[in-house]
Amino acid sequence: MVLAHLFPFLTMTSGSMTTRLTLMEAAHVLIRDGDPLVAAGIVFFTMVAPFVLVAGMLYVAAPLRHGVALPGAMRVTRWLQWMEPWSMLEVFLLGLIVSS
């Protein structure tokens, strides 16, 4: 995840001018250009949601290596299973765009 956020994901070249954007820079440009909802979606689905999912997995799995279950681990596990289909939302959105 760190590499995905550090390196540019979008490069545009027009004549001799080249622009490269990381995910955060893209969100910033969208906010500046008047699309705050799209920018919020980018930040949430590429940064916040993956971080929360990884943190939840670590909360459940790391203590289990030592034979300990932390309080609320079952609730977090159920939540992670419920969120699993949404963990690749960009694939769903790409499918929606291609199909229309």
Side-chain angles (χ1 to χ4, degrees), residues 19 21 25-36 39:
T19 303
L21 292 174
E25 290 169 339
H28 184 280
V29 168
L30 285 167
I31 290 171
R32 186 184 68 211
D33 291 345
D35 273 331

Side-chain angles (χ1 to χ4, degrees), residues 53-68:
L53 288 171
V54 168
M57 287 182 213
L58 287 174
Y59 181 82
V60 172
L64 289 178
R65 283 189 57 86
H66 304 290
V68 178

